[in-house]
Amino acid sequence: VIDSTFNANQAYIGGGVSISQTLDWLGAPQLDACTFTFNRASRWWDDDMAGTGGALAAFLGQYVSSEYTLVQNSLFGNNSTGSQLGGAIASAALSEEPSLALLNCTIADNESGGIISDSAASWPTVVYNSIVWGNGPYEISPDCDEGAVVFYSDIMGGAGCEGFAGNLSSTPWFDSMDPFLPYQLLDLSPCIDAADPASAPLTDITGAYRDPNPDMGAFEFFTEED
């Protein structure tokens, strides 16, 4: 799924997208340069309660693909659930292998939590080069010691991720004055040039080429000269 927008959808599991069991021979789903905004996971027929994975739910079973379900260059903003189970993303797997990889994503301002990650695997969710910020009441649950392995990412409050390479817990400084792209970075952002070049995609969410020292998050920062 490429360059797609999921806005104001509602479902019980995965308000925008729900990915279920994937078999090895089918390969793993991939989402690139997608935007998830104002989606909600809840039981709308039951006082709008419960629900998991406001924007995305990735629940993979015992025969999960040996590949990761990959989501890259994507924005998750202002999604929610009727519970506290992954206001943006909920991930789980019954196997011993991680199920979901988030690469250069921006996950911000979601209600009822950011990422919830739970399975038999040690770290069912892998987060690289991403920004996870302002998702009350938690950013990642459980934290990096149990629920996710996080590298080169900016996580509000740290979420137990400080011991992993390249992580920050500093204000990312989004350009909130831009009505069309409010999660672009301002020039004072510590996320600029802070991602891992070896794992960053060639382009960002807008299709612009990233520079040799790529930024965290879905949007690459460019000066007027660029």
Side-chain angles (χ1 to χ4, degrees), residues 96 113 124 135 171 177:
E96 293 296 325
N135 306 289
T171 303
M177 300 302 291

Side-chain angles (χ1 to χ4, degrees), residues 14 17 36 52-59 71 74-76 79-81 84-92 100-102 105-107 110-118 125 127 132 135 138-141:
V17 171
F36 294 81
T52 183
L56 171 67
F59 292 166
V71 181
S74 293
L75 169 65
F76 297 81
N79 303 284
S80 63
T81 71
Q84 292 187 2
L85 298 177
I89 297 168
S91 173
L100 178 67
L102 302 170
C105 290
T106 297
I107 302 161
N110 300 282
E111 298 178 18
S112 55
I115 302 167
I116 190 165
S117 180
D118 185 28
T125 304
V127 183
V132 187
N135 306 289
Y138 59 84
E139 305 303 320
I140 300 174
S141 178

Side-chain angles (χ1 to χ4, degrees), residues 174-184 186:
F174 296 126
D175 186 2
S176 59
M177 300 302 291
D178 188 327
F180 300 105
L181 298 172
Y183 293 103
Q184 291 190 105
L186 295 173

Side-chain angles (χ1 to χ4, degrees), residues 189-203:
S189 175
C191 299
I192 295 173
D193 297 343
D196 176 21
S199 57
L202 184 63
T203 58

Side-chain angles (χ1 to χ4, degrees), residues 3-4 37 55 102-103 114 124 147 149 180 202 226:
D3 195 19
S4 299
T37 50
L102 302 170
L103 180 60
V149 58
F180 300 105
L202 184 63
D226 295 333

